[in-house]
Amino acid sequence: MVCRRMSVAGRRVFVMTSAPQPPASLSPSRAGDFMQCPLLYRFRVIDRLPEKPSPAATRGTLVHAVLERLFDDPAVERTAPRARAMVPGQWDRLLESRPELGTLFEDDADGERLARWLGEAEELVERWFTLEDPTRLEPAERELMVETELESGLRLRGVIDRIDVAPSGEVRIVDYKTGKAPRPEYGEGALFQMTFYALVVWRLKGVVPRRLQLVYLGSGDVVTYDPVMADLRRVERKLLALWDAIRTATETGDWRPRRTKLCGWCDHQAFCPEFGGTPPVYPLPVPPPRSGQNGPGPAIP
C-alpha cells in the first residue's frame, strides 16, 4: 500500500493506492503482448480492460473446437463432410458457454452475415483435410493445458492444440492457425509460440519435441521446424529477460506504448497516448472502507 498526493478541488490530499504485483506466470499470448506493446500488456493483465469479441478470433475458436472434437469419432468417420456438419452445433455450444459472443451478430436480422461467417469456418475446416489425414492420426493430447515452473520461480503456461507421439516416443507439437502463413520475415512470432510450448514439454517430460508443426488453414500451408536443445535454452533466456522487463514496468509504472501496424486492431486506442488517450490511474486506487470497517479512508486532507 502506498500514498499518492493529488489535488482535488484545490486541496492537496493523499490517496491510498495498491501497488500491483507482477503476475506469476507467462503464456505465449501475454509474452507476445508485451513484446508487441508493453502498454497493451498492462491494459490486458493489470487493468483488465474489456475487449469486444472479434469475428476472426471467434471463428478461430470455433474451428479449433471442431478439429478437437472430430477425434472423438472413430477414424473411419473423420471425414470432411462430417467435420463441416459439426460447425453449426459447435457454434451453438460456444454460444451457450460464452453468451457475449452473440453480440457479433445482434444486428444481423436476416442471418445473412452469420450464415456467411459459418460458411467461412466450414471452408477452413474442410481445407484441413487437404493438409493432414485425420484417419491416420491418433493424438496423444488435444487442447492440453500445460504449466511448468522455472528455477527462477516464473511459471509458464499455455494450451497446446495437439500433441502426437510416435511409436518410437518422438513428440510432435501441432498448432492450428486459421489465418494465412506469414512471409518468412514475419514468422518469428509463431515460431516463438511453438518453441515456448517445446520448452514447457521438455521441462515437464524431459523430452525435446522432435517437430513443431504450424498448420495454416487460411492459406493451406504447413510450416515445420525441428528444434534442438539450444533453441529451448534460447527461448528460456528470452522469457526471463521479458519477465525482468515486466517486473520493472510493474514497479516503475513505465508501460511505454509501441505504435505498430497492429494498432489498427486494438480495442484500447481511447486509453492510449499514441492516439491522444489517457491510461487509467496507476497504481489502482483502493476503495474506501465501508462504515464500521477498520482501515484508512481514501483521502486524508
Side-chain angles (χ1 to χ4, degrees):
M1 198 77 67
V2 297
C3 290
R4 298 176 65 246
R5 189 170 65 182
M6 300 178 61
S7 178
V8 179
R11 301 172 61 206
R12 288 188 302 173
V13 298
F14 289 89
V15 178
M16 301 302 294
T17 60
S18 175
Q21 298 297 315
S25 64
L26 268 182
S27 68
S29 297
R30 298 293 78 84
D33 286 344
F34 190 84
M35 289 188 291
Q36 175 186 328
C37 172
L39 187 59
L40 175 63
Y41 176 95
R42 178 200 148 175
F43 286 159
R44 286 179 167 168
V45 178
I46 305 294
D47 300 306
R48 299 188 181 184
L49 297 182
E51 296 183 350
K52 294 179 293 186
S54 155
T58 304
R59 184 175 56 222
T61 301
L62 174 58
V63 169
H64 276 70
V66 171
L67 298 187
E68 177 194 5
R69 291 187 176 274
L70 185 67
F71 285 103
D72 291 339
D73 296 335
V76 69
E77 297 180 15
R78 299 172 196 160
T79 64
R82 164 68 176 150
R84 286 187 67 115
M86 291 173 64
V87 170
Q90 289 302 312
W91 170 236
D92 290 340
R93 289 173 62 98
L94 193 56
L95 271 179
E96 185 177 346
S97 62
R98 297 178 57 189
E100 72 276 9
L101 296 179
T103 60
L104 288 170
F105 303 102
E106 61 185 357
D107 60 347
D108 184 31
D110 58 4
E112 183 178 346
R113 284 199 303 114
L114 174 59
R116 184 168 59 251
W117 183 81
L118 289 172
E120 293 167 350
E122 291 172 359
E123 291 174 4
L124 292 171
V125 166
E126 188 167 32
R127 184 171 293 139
W128 177 58
F129 287 80
T130 68
L131 305 174
E132 296 190 286
D133 182 358
T135 66
R136 302 180 62 183
L137 295 170
E138 292 297 339
E141 302 287 355
R142 291 172 280 153
E143 295 297 318
L144 177 66
M145 171 69 77
V146 291
E147 182 173 335
T148 190
E149 185 171 314
L150 303 179
E151 288 85 349
S152 64
L154 171 61
R155 291 199 303 273
L156 305 179
R157 60 194 310 176
V159 179
I160 299 176
D161 289 348
R162 197 179 87 215
I163 296 180
D164 301 329
V165 180
S168 61
E170 292 181 323
V171 172
R172 176 172 64 183
I173 297 176
V174 180
D175 193 74
Y176 307 120
K177 300 292 187 185
T178 49
K180 297 180 179 180
R183 292 187 305 210
E185 61 267 32
Y186 297 113
E188 183 179 351
L191 181 58
F192 170 79
Q193 175 191 6
M194 297 302 281
T195 50
F196 182 109
Y197 289 145
L199 170 63
V200 175
V201 169
W202 171 52
R203 287 291 189 179
L204 288 174
K205 301 181 180 298
V207 175
V208 176
R210 173 68 177 81
R211 174 153 294 178
L212 310 177
Q213 180 167 303
L214 288 152
V215 181
Y216 287 96
L217 303 175
S219 57
D221 294 299
V222 176
V223 178
T224 62
Y225 182 78
D226 296 341
V228 295
M229 183 69 72
D231 296 319
L232 308 190
R233 296 197 182 281
R234 187 180 307 114
V235 78
E236 183 172 3
R237 290 193 298 270
K238 184 171 185 175
L239 288 167
L240 292 175
L242 275 175
W243 191 240
D244 282 342
I246 290 170
R247 287 192 295 185
T248 298
T250 304
E251 293 168 0
T252 63
D254 185 8
W255 301 94
R256 298 188 182 185
R258 182 176 298 130
R259 191 161 187 160
T260 69
K261 294 180 180 179
L262 298 175
C263 291
W265 285 271
C266 183
D267 281 342
H268 310 305
Q269 290 186 10
F271 297 99
C272 180
E274 289 291 315
F275 295 88
T278 302
V281 174
Y282 186 93
L284 306 177
V286 175
R290 295 180 181 178
S291 178
Q293 289 182 326
N294 294 326
I300 303 174

